[in-house]
Amino acid sequence: MAEAECIAAPDLAAYQTAAPADFAIGPTRSDRLGRVVAPITVNGQGPFRFIVDTGANRSVLSQSLAERLGVVATSTGEVHSVYGVTAAPLADVNSLQYGQLELGGGEMPLLQGAVLAGEHGLLGVDGMSGRRLRIDFERNCIEIIPSRHARRLRGWEMIRGELRFGHLVVAPGRIGNVHVNLLLDTGSDSSLANVALRDAIGAHIRRNYTRTESSIAFTAGRPVVLSDGMYIPRLMMGGIEVHNVLAYVGEFHVFDLWRLQDEPTLLIGMDVLSQTRGLAIDYGRGAVYIDIRDRFRTGSRIPGVPSSQGTTLIR
C-alpha cells in the first residue's frame, strides 16, 4: 500500500489566480483560521487545498470546486457539524488521493461559505480506517500511513484511547479527580465542553476562572455565537499538563451525535492543538500521540486570553 509523508499543499495565492493546469506542489500554507491544509487530488485532477478535519466523519467538496470539476449533485442529505444538522447537496466523487495514497470516493456533501474559509474542501476521517494520520504543525503538512507499518514516534506522548463508531478516537483525560473524554478536532478553532463537564468540575474551578467570553463559530449552516466560556485551570492528557484552557460550554449537537452528552467531554480545538509541534491519531490502534518536545516549557499564549492566563502545555 502506498503511503504519503508531509506533502506540501499548493500555495494559497497561487490557486486563486491559476488555471487548473497551472497547479503544482508549492510551499505549504495553513488556512485563514490556522488549520492545516493538505493537497488532495479529486477525480485525478489537482491537487487542491483541503482543510484537515479530524472532527469530520466524511470529506466535503466546496461547491465552487464541484463546478470546476463538472461534479453535479445527484441528491440531498444531512451534514452533521459540531453545532447542528444542515441539508446539503450530495455528489458522487470517484476518487480522493493524497499523493499516491487512495482515500476512497463516494457520495460527498457540497458546501460553501465561511466554514471552508475559501478552501477547496474538508478532508474528513472517512478514508483513515486502519491508518495513522500525523499532522506536523511546524511544517504545516500531514503524513498518512498504514497503522500496522507506522514507525514509532520517539519522544511523543502516547495516550491510549478507544475507537468508537469506526472513526472516532476518544482519549481519556482528567481535571482534578474528574475523568473526562477528550476529542481532538483539527477542524475547530475553539475548544468546546458539554454541560456534563461543567457540572462535574464546578467544584474544581476557582470563581475567577469562570467568565463570559464570546466568539463566532462558522459552520455548515449559520454562524454560531459562542458566549458561555470557562477557563479550565489544569487538564491532564496522559503525561502532559495543559493549563488554562478556554472552553465554550453548550449542548452541542456533536456530543449528542457521538452519544457523549451525559459524560464529561471536552473537544480540544486548534486553539490548543496548534501550540504543539505535532499530533498523530492512529485509527488502527485507537491511540493519540502528541509532540511538545522543547517547545512549551515556558508557556505559549493564545490571542484573546488574558496574558496572565495563557494556555500552557508542559510535561
Side-chain angles (χ1 to χ4, degrees):
M1 182 182 294
E3 63 187 66
E5 180 175 358
C6 252
I7 303 173
D11 180 73
L12 179 64
Y15 86 70
Q16 290 176 331
T17 57
D22 295 330
F23 278 91
I25 295 297
T28 298
R29 298 289 186 271
S30 59
D31 85 320
R32 294 182 180 89
L33 298 178
R35 297 172 294 185
V36 170
V37 176
I40 301 298
T41 301
V42 183
N43 291 349
Q45 298 186 56
F48 303 105
R49 290 171 56 92
F50 277 57
I51 298 165
V52 182
D53 189 349
T54 58
N57 64 353
R58 66 199 302 188
S59 296
V60 168
L61 267 63
S62 70
Q63 290 189 342
S64 60
L65 178 59
E67 292 172 3
R68 184 172 181 169
L69 299 177
V71 174
V72 179
T74 56
S75 62
T76 302
E78 294 182 341
V79 175
H80 294 267
S81 71
V82 169
Y83 310 99
V85 183
T86 303
L90 303 176
D92 288 323
V93 175
N94 294 328
S95 69
L96 292 184
Q97 283 184 281
Y98 177 65
Q100 298 302 309
L101 182 65
E102 179 63 49
L103 298 175
E107 203 172 48
M108 296 183 188
L110 307 181
L111 297 181
Q112 61 183 351
V115 65
L116 294 176
E119 305 292 3
H120 286 128
L122 297 176
L123 180 63
V125 300
D126 42 342
M128 300 298 169
S129 179
R131 293 168 171 165
R132 188 183 73 188
L133 168 67
R134 180 175 66 87
I135 304 175
D136 187 325
F137 291 116
E138 293 191 325
R139 296 166 62 194
N140 285 318
C141 56
I142 69 171
E143 171 198 68
I144 303 172
I145 189 171
S147 178
R148 65 180 182 277
H149 297 152
R151 65 186 182 279
R152 181 181 177 186
L153 296 171
R154 297 183 181 278
W156 293 49
E157 181 72 25
M158 186 188 80
I159 305 170
R160 180 70 66 183
E162 176 188 356
L163 193 64
R164 299 190 186 182
F165 310 112
H167 59 265
L168 177 68
V169 176
V170 181
R174 184 167 48 83
I175 300 172
N177 61 3
V178 176
H179 293 281
V180 181
N181 297 312
L182 301 178
L183 311 174
L184 283 68
D185 187 355
T186 60
S188 175
D189 60 325
S190 302
S191 295
L192 306 174
N194 64 2
V195 175
L197 175 59
R198 181 181 60 187
D199 293 346
I201 68 174
H204 300 279
I205 299 180
R206 299 196 304 270
R207 179 171 298 177
N208 65 341
Y209 274 99
T210 303
R211 62 181 66 192
T212 299
E213 304 283 344
S214 63
S215 180
I216 300 294
F218 297 104
T219 74
R222 295 179 300 173
V224 174
V225 177
L226 304 174
S227 59
D228 187 5
M230 70 176 182
Y231 286 115
I232 300 172
R234 183 171 177 265
L235 164 70
M236 294 300 302
M237 301 169 50
I240 297 174
E241 295 182 23
V242 188
H243 294 270
N244 300 335
V245 175
L246 172 61
Y248 294 98
V249 183
E251 295 181 353
F252 300 113
H253 171 72
V254 70
F255 297 130
D256 278 330
L257 180 66
W258 292 333
R259 302 172 192 168
L260 292 171
Q261 194 66 273
D262 296 328
E263 302 176 30
T265 302
L266 177 67
L267 183 150
I268 300 177
M270 286 294 288
D271 53 339
V272 174
L273 298 177
S274 63
Q275 298 180 73
T276 70
R277 293 182 63 182
L279 165 70
I281 302 178
D282 192 321
Y283 293 95
R285 297 184 173 93
V288 170
Y289 302 82
I290 298 174
D291 183 9
I292 64 168
R293 291 172 296 172
D294 305 321
R295 190 174 178 190
F296 300 104
R297 296 183 186 280
T298 58
S300 181
R301 306 304 182 193
I302 297 177
V305 177
S307 59
S308 62
Q309 295 180 344
T311 298
T312 307
L313 294 89
I314 61 173
R315 274 197 175 88

mmCIF file of all heavy atoms in Angstrom, residues 111-135:
data_model
loop_
_atom_site.group_PDB
_atom_site.id
_atom_site.type_symbol
_atom_site.label_atom_id
_atom_site.label_comp_id
_atom_site.label_asym_id
_atom_site.label_seq_id
_atom_site.Cartn_x
_atom_site.Cartn_y
_atom_site.Cartn_z
ATOM 1 N N LEU A 111 -20.437 22.022 0.008
ATOM 2 C CA LEU A 111 -20.685 23.138 0.913
ATOM 3 C C LEU A 111 -20.074 24.412 0.360
ATOM 4 O O LEU A 111 -19.197 24.383 -0.510
ATOM 5 C CB LEU A 111 -20.102 22.855 2.301
ATOM 6 C CG LEU A 111 -20.676 21.682 3.086
ATOM 7 C CD1 LEU A 111 -19.988 21.579 4.438
ATOM 8 C CD2 LEU A 111 -22.189 21.826 3.274
ATOM 9 N N GLN A 112 -20.525 25.524 0.911
ATOM 10 C CA GLN A 112 -19.936 26.807 0.593
ATOM 11 C C GLN A 112 -19.996 27.673 1.837
ATOM 12 O O GLN A 112 -20.600 27.306 2.835
ATOM 13 C CB GLN A 112 -20.692 27.482 -0.548
ATOM 14 C CG GLN A 112 -22.153 27.776 -0.241
ATOM 15 C CD GLN A 112 -22.875 28.384 -1.432
ATOM 16 O OE1 GLN A 112 -22.266 28.741 -2.435
ATOM 17 N NE2 GLN A 112 -24.205 28.508 -1.324
ATOM 18 N N GLY A 113 -19.334 28.822 1.798
ATOM 19 C CA GLY A 113 -19.413 29.743 2.917
ATOM 20 C C GLY A 113 -18.177 29.730 3.789
ATOM 21 O O GLY A 113 -17.163 29.102 3.492
ATOM 22 N N ALA A 114 -18.294 30.413 4.937
ATOM 23 C CA ALA A 114 -17.146 30.676 5.796
ATOM 24 C C ALA A 114 -16.568 29.421 6.442
ATOM 25 O O ALA A 114 -15.415 29.422 6.861
ATOM 26 C CB ALA A 114 -17.533 31.677 6.883
ATOM 27 N N VAL A 115 -17.347 28.344 6.533
ATOM 28 C CA VAL A 115 -16.828 27.132 7.168
ATOM 29 C C VAL A 115 -15.603 26.599 6.437
ATOM 30 O O VAL A 115 -14.724 25.979 7.031
ATOM 31 C CB VAL A 115 -17.926 26.047 7.251
ATOM 32 C CG1 VAL A 115 -18.354 25.578 5.860
ATOM 33 C CG2 VAL A 115 -17.469 24.872 8.108
ATOM 34 N N LEU A 116 -15.505 26.856 5.131
ATOM 35 C CA LEU A 116 -14.357 26.399 4.340
ATOM 36 C C LEU A 116 -13.259 27.446 4.251
ATOM 37 O O LEU A 116 -12.174 27.148 3.714
ATOM 38 C CB LEU A 116 -14.806 26.005 2.927
ATOM 39 C CG LEU A 116 -15.735 24.794 2.845
ATOM 40 C CD1 LEU A 116 -16.178 24.564 1.401
ATOM 41 C CD2 LEU A 116 -15.048 23.551 3.389
ATOM 42 N N ALA A 117 -13.513 28.643 4.743
ATOM 43 C CA ALA A 117 -12.500 29.706 4.759
ATOM 44 C C ALA A 117 -11.847 29.899 3.390
ATOM 45 O O ALA A 117 -10.661 30.182 3.287
ATOM 46 C CB ALA A 117 -11.436 29.404 5.818
ATOM 47 N N GLY A 118 -12.624 29.703 2.326
ATOM 48 C CA GLY A 118 -12.110 29.911 0.990
ATOM 49 C C GLY A 118 -11.350 28.739 0.395
ATOM 50 O O GLY A 118 -10.837 28.829 -0.723
ATOM 51 N N GLU A 119 -11.288 27.612 1.118
ATOM 52 C CA GLU A 119 -10.536 26.458 0.625
ATOM 53 C C GLU A 119 -11.414 25.568 -0.251
ATOM 54 O O GLU A 119 -12.615 25.766 -0.384
ATOM 55 C CB GLU A 119 -9.970 25.661 1.805
ATOM 56 C CG GLU A 119 -9.118 26.479 2.766
ATOM 57 C CD GLU A 119 -7.795 26.951 2.165
ATOM 58 O OE1 GLU A 119 -7.551 26.695 0.964
ATOM 59 O OE2 GLU A 119 -7.025 27.589 2.894
ATOM 60 N N HIS A 120 -10.792 24.531 -0.829
ATOM 61 C CA HIS A 120 -11.488 23.667 -1.784
ATOM 62 C C HIS A 120 -12.336 22.583 -1.127
ATOM 63 O O HIS A 120 -13.196 21.990 -1.780
ATOM 64 C CB HIS A 120 -10.469 22.982 -2.697
ATOM 65 C CG HIS A 120 -9.873 23.902 -3.714
ATOM 66 N ND1 HIS A 120 -8.518 24.038 -3.885
ATOM 67 C CD2 HIS A 120 -10.448 24.738 -4.618
ATOM 68 C CE1 HIS A 120 -8.284 24.908 -4.862
ATOM 69 N NE2 HIS A 120 -9.435 25.350 -5.314
ATOM 70 N N GLY A 121 -12.067 22.262 0.132
ATOM 71 C CA GLY A 121 -12.844 21.213 0.778
ATOM 72 C C GLY A 121 -12.318 20.875 2.155
ATOM 73 O O GLY A 121 -11.393 21.506 2.665
ATOM 74 N N LEU A 122 -12.958 19.875 2.756
ATOM 75 C CA LEU A 122 -12.524 19.329 4.043
ATOM 76 C C LEU A 122 -12.101 17.884 3.842
ATOM 77 O O LEU A 122 -12.809 17.116 3.181
ATOM 78 C CB LEU A 122 -13.659 19.357 5.070
ATOM 79 C CG LEU A 122 -14.242 20.711 5.492
ATOM 80 C CD1 LEU A 122 -15.420 20.488 6.437
ATOM 81 C CD2 LEU A 122 -13.184 21.579 6.145
ATOM 82 N N LEU A 123 -10.975 17.515 4.417
ATOM 83 C CA LEU A 123 -10.545 16.121 4.421
ATOM 84 C C LEU A 123 -10.974 15.511 5.742
ATOM 85 O O LEU A 123 -10.406 15.796 6.799
ATOM 86 C CB LEU A 123 -9.029 16.016 4.249
ATOM 87 C CG LEU A 123 -8.464 14.587 4.246
ATOM 88 C CD1 LEU A 123 -9.011 13.794 3.063
ATOM 89 C CD2 LEU A 123 -6.935 14.602 4.227
ATOM 90 N N GLY A 124 -12.018 14.681 5.703
ATOM 91 C CA GLY A 124 -12.517 14.037 6.910
ATOM 92 C C GLY A 124 -11.789 12.737 7.188
ATOM 93 O O GLY A 124 -10.790 12.398 6.548
ATOM 94 N N VAL A 125 -12.311 11.981 8.149
ATOM 95 C CA VAL A 125 -11.629 10.755 8.582
ATOM 96 C C VAL A 125 -12.239 9.512 7.950
ATOM 97 O O VAL A 125 -11.885 8.395 8.323
ATOM 98 C CB VAL A 125 -11.653 10.632 10.122
ATOM 99 C CG1 VAL A 125 -10.949 11.809 10.758
ATOM 100 C CG2 VAL A 125 -13.084 10.533 10.640
ATOM 101 N N ASP A 126 -13.115 9.700 6.952
ATOM 102 C CA ASP A 126 -13.742 8.533 6.326
ATOM 103 C C ASP A 126 -12.748 7.679 5.567
ATOM 104 O O ASP A 126 -12.998 6.501 5.334
ATOM 105 C CB ASP A 126 -14.893 8.962 5.404
ATOM 106 C CG ASP A 126 -14.567 10.182 4.562
ATOM 107 O OD1 ASP A 126 -13.615 10.907 4.891
ATOM 108 O OD2 ASP A 126 -15.287 10.440 3.582
ATOM 109 N N GLY A 127 -11.592 8.240 5.180
ATOM 110 C CA GLY A 127 -10.576 7.452 4.484
ATOM 111 C C GLY A 127 -9.438 7.003 5.375
ATOM 112 O O GLY A 127 -8.418 6.506 4.880
ATOM 113 N N MET A 128 -9.590 7.144 6.706
ATOM 114 C CA MET A 128 -8.482 6.868 7.624
ATOM 115 C C MET A 128 -8.555 5.513 8.306
ATOM 116 O O MET A 128 -7.695 5.190 9.132
ATOM 117 C CB MET A 128 -8.426 7.967 8.709
ATOM 118 C CG MET A 128 -8.224 9.360 8.170
ATOM 119 S SD MET A 128 -6.663 9.556 7.282
ATOM 120 C CE MET A 128 -6.934 11.162 6.525
ATOM 121 N N SER A 129 -9.530 4.704 7.990
ATOM 122 C CA SER A 129 -9.664 3.411 8.660
ATOM 123 C C SER A 129 -8.388 2.583 8.511
ATOM 124 O O SER A 129 -7.874 2.394 7.406
ATOM 125 C CB SER A 129 -10.849 2.643 8.071
ATOM 126 O OG SER A 129 -10.980 1.382 8.677
ATOM 127 N N GLY A 130 -7.866 2.099 9.639
ATOM 128 C CA GLY A 130 -6.661 1.273 9.622
ATOM 129 C C GLY A 130 -5.385 2.038 9.344
ATOM 130 O O GLY A 130 -4.337 1.440 9.098
ATOM 131 N N ARG A 131 -5.452 3.366 9.417
ATOM 132 C CA ARG A 131 -4.286 4.194 9.108
ATOM 133 C C ARG A 131 -3.944 5.124 10.270
ATOM 134 O O ARG A 131 -4.742 5.337 11.165
ATOM 135 C CB ARG A 131 -4.557 5.032 7.843
ATOM 136 C CG ARG A 131 -4.666 4.180 6.599
ATOM 137 C CD ARG A 131 -5.218 4.949 5.424
ATOM 138 N NE ARG A 131 -5.111 4.154 4.190
ATOM 139 C CZ ARG A 131 -5.749 4.416 3.074
ATOM 140 N NH1 ARG A 131 -6.543 5.468 3.005
ATOM 141 N NH2 ARG A 131 -5.586 3.653 2.013
ATOM 142 N N ARG A 132 -2.739 5.665 10.202
ATOM 143 C CA ARG A 132 -2.339 6.686 11.172
ATOM 144 C C ARG A 132 -2.152 8.009 10.453
ATOM 145 O O ARG A 132 -1.434 8.098 9.462
ATOM 146 C CB ARG A 132 -1.036 6.314 11.883
ATOM 147 C CG ARG A 132 -0.698 7.265 13.046
ATOM 148 C CD ARG A 132 0.629 6.942 13.689
ATOM 149 N NE ARG A 132 1.752 7.334 12.836
ATOM 150 C CZ ARG A 132 3.020 7.024 13.087
ATOM 151 N NH1 ARG A 132 3.310 6.282 14.142
ATOM 152 N NH2 ARG A 132 3.987 7.430 12.276
ATOM 153 N N LEU A 133 -2.819 9.027 10.969
ATOM 154 C CA LEU A 133 -2.713 10.384 10.456
ATOM 155 C C LEU A 133 -1.778 11.157 11.378
ATOM 156 O O LEU A 133 -2.015 11.244 12.581
ATOM 157 C CB LEU A 133 -4.097 11.043 10.435
ATOM 158 C CG LEU A 133 -4.145 12.556 10.201
ATOM 159 C CD1 LEU A 133 -3.692 12.900 8.781
ATOM 160 C CD2 LEU A 133 -5.549 13.098 10.463
ATOM 161 N N ARG A 134 -0.710 11.697 10.811
ATOM 162 C CA ARG A 134 0.216 12.523 11.593
ATOM 163 C C ARG A 134 0.221 13.932 11.019
ATOM 164 O O ARG A 134 0.420 14.114 9.815
ATOM 165 C CB ARG A 134 1.632 11.955 11.562
ATOM 166 C CG ARG A 134 2.640 12.788 12.380
ATOM 167 C CD ARG A 134 4.005 12.123 12.425
ATOM 168 N NE ARG A 134 4.630 12.083 11.116
ATOM 169 C CZ ARG A 134 5.379 13.067 10.599
ATOM 170 N NH1 ARG A 134 5.568 14.185 11.287
ATOM 171 N NH2 ARG A 134 5.917 12.945 9.406
ATOM 172 N N ILE A 135 -0.007 14.922 11.873
ATOM 173 C CA ILE A 135 -0.042 16.317 11.466
ATOM 174 C C ILE A 135 1.175 17.028 12.037
ATOM 175 O O ILE A 135 1.406 17.005 13.245
ATOM 176 C CB ILE A 135 -1.334 17.004 11.948
ATOM 177 C CG1 ILE A 135 -2.566 16.250 11.431
ATOM 178 C CG2 ILE A 135 -1.372 18.459 11.504
ATOM 179 C CD1 ILE A 135 -3.874 16.794 11.949
#
